[in-house]
């Protein structure tokens, strides 16, 4: 299926497949592993914050978005201290990723996407990803050529093509790529496409389909998908955030309070289950980011009715 809604040199050119997110992760993971001692295993968030997405750059800081008012919170991984760095627009912030220019690309559920300066909190740009409703911009993944967004209610990906030196596109330059091939959309307001990352060799994208527990390899030029062969591994029920480090894929399964770990083939067409990570402190974690030898997951607590006084936190576990 041909891309629609805007035209440009395709954002996933050969160069563009080497992800900015992977570069940032490499910087964050460089150097000797941090000792678990002295770094908090649980980092508190503001009461009532309702976290969902998390991203970590080269420094020891995590950024999280609020499903409540959309505010962005920065947490110091060394001390557990933090603060709101960007007051929300009153609409949800879901998945988010930090680029190497200090910009946060934020999925805004029904409001599309926005780009926020992580230092000043200023909103640099806002984008309508889909004019068809219902729509649910859920997660985002960065390459040097584009920011890619999933839509949990529509069988499509959206790309924000980035220009020279990371120049942001205009409001009308959003590219919609319909999903086809093995993709079978569950109708209604059911969470379909959720977490997104790339294959180890950078030749394609990987998208987890939450409602059916499937992992798809997606050709970014055509939107054609094929199911990733995970052998005898159980379905990725409630699959949410994805994190790729080298050939190791971490898949968060939110209501299972678990992270399944796979070793992928370079092209992402198959994978071998290695282990499951759980922790007594997990309370419906949604997404995952890494810093040195640790994984960090926000507890969304979807099984708890949110109130202004509901407590939330980030849980840290070994990789």
């Amino acid at each position: 299926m041909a891309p629609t809604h805007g035209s440009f040199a395709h954002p996933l050119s050969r160069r563009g497949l080497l992800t900015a997110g992977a570069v940032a992760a490499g910087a964050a993971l460089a150097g000797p592993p941090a000792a678990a001692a002295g770094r908090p295993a649980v980092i508190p968030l503001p009461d009532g914050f309702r976290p969902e997405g998390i991203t970590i750059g080269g420094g020891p800081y995590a950024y999280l978005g609020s499903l409540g008012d959309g505010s962005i919170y920065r947490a110091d991984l060394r001390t557990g201290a933090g603060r709101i760095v960007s007051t929300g627009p009153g609409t949800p912030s879901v998945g988010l990723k930090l680029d190497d220019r200090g910009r946060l690309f934020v999925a805004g559920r029904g409001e599309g996407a926005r780009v926020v300066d992580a230092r000043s909190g200023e909103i640099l740009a806002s984008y309508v990803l889909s004019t068809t409703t219902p729509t649910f911009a859920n997660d985002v993944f960065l390459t040097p050529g584009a920011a890619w967004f999933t839509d949990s209610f529509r069988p499509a990906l959206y790309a924000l093509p980035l220009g020279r030196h990371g120049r942001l596109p205009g409001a009308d330059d959003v590219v919609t790529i319909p999903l086809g091939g093995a993709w079978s959309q569950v109708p209604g307001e059911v969470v379909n496409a959720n977490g997104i990352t790339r294959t180890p060799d950078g030749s394609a994208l990987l998208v987890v389909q939450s409602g059916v527990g499937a992992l798809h390899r997606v050709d970014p030029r055509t939107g054609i998908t094929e199911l990733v062969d995970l052998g005898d591994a159980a379905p990725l029920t409630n699959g949410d955030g994805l994190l790729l480090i080298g050939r190791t894929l971490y898949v968060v399964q939110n209501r299972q309070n678990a992270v399944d770990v796979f070793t992928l083939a370079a092209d992402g067409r198959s994978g071998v289950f290695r282990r499951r990570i759980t922790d007594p402190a997990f309370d419906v974690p949604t997404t995952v980011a890494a810093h040195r030898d640790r994984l960090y997951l926000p507890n969304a607590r979807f099984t708890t009715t949110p109130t202004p006084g509901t407590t939330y936190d980030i849980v840290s576990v070994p990789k």
Side-chain angles (χ1 to χ4, degrees):
M1 301 181 183
T4 60
H5 189 190
S7 61
F8 64 111
H10 201 284
L12 282 189
S13 62
R14 265 297 154 198
R15 181 190 67 82
L17 289 173
L18 297 174
T19 72
V23 173
L29 295 166
R39 292 191 178 228
V42 177
I43 297 173
L45 298 171
D47 289 354
F49 186 74
R50 298 177 60 194
E52 209 279 354
I54 186 170
T55 184
I56 300 173
Y61 299 100
Y63 294 85
L64 301 100
S66 167
L67 287 175
D69 67 357
S71 291
I72 306 296
Y73 184 85
R74 188 181 81 164
D76 189 322
L77 303 178
R78 301 163 299 183
T79 66
R83 63 184 179 89
I84 298 290
V85 296
S86 179
T87 302
T91 54
S93 291
V94 198
L96 70 169
K97 290 294 184 294
L98 178 70
D99 74 1
D100 57 6
R101 294 175 173 83
R103 302 179 300 188
L104 290 161
F105 290 74
V106 183
R109 194 160 178 149
E111 302 301 315
R114 69 186 190 280
V115 183
V116 177
D117 188 307
R119 300 175 184 88
S120 69
E122 176 189 0
I123 297 177
L124 303 175
S126 296
Y127 299 92
V128 174
L129 298 180
S130 173
T131 57
T132 301
T133 57
T135 181
F136 182 166
N138 195 329
D139 204 2
V140 56
F141 181 71
L142 301 179
T143 75
W148 290 89
F149 293 82
T150 57
D151 189 328
S152 290
F153 290 168
R154 299 190 63 230
L157 300 180
Y158 310 107
L160 299 182
L162 303 176
R164 287 176 57 85
H165 308 298
R167 179 176 52 82
L168 296 175
D172 295 330
D173 293 332
V174 176
V175 177
T176 300
I177 299 182
L179 296 175
W183 192 271
S184 181
Q185 184 81 0
V186 179
E189 295 188 15
V190 176
V191 176
N192 282 272
N194 199 331
I196 181 172
T197 186
R198 67 176 179 92
T199 59
D201 66 2
S203 62
L205 296 167
L206 296 172
V207 175
V208 65
Q209 188 177 9
S210 294
V212 299
L215 184 66
H216 291 260
R217 183 184 188 274
V218 185
D219 185 324
R221 297 167 181 81
T222 66
I224 298 300
T225 81
E226 54 186 291
L227 290 173
V228 177
D229 181 2
L230 298 178
D232 295 331
L236 300 174
T237 306
N238 296 316
D240 205 324
L242 302 179
L243 174 66
L244 182 75
I245 300 176
R247 288 177 55 184
T248 301
L249 178 68
Y250 298 87
V251 184
V252 181
Q253 296 177 74
N254 53 44
R255 293 177 188 261
Q256 277 61 44
N257 289 313
V259 182
D260 280 359
V261 185
F262 298 86
T263 300
L264 295 182
D267 63 6
R269 286 188 163 89
S270 63
V272 177
F273 175 77
R274 296 303 183 189
R275 60 194 174 98
R276 168 167 281 199
I277 300 172
T278 60
D279 192 276
F282 285 171
D283 192 352
V284 195
T286 45
T287 47
V288 59
H291 187 254
R292 297 191 176 181
D293 63 341
R294 309 287 291 181
L295 300 175
Y296 292 85
L297 301 95
N299 275 328
R301 306 194 68 190
F302 287 154
T303 57
T304 299
T305 300
T307 71
T310 302
T311 58
Y312 295 95
D313 52 34
I314 308 166
V315 177
S316 170
V317 295
K319 289 198 298 181

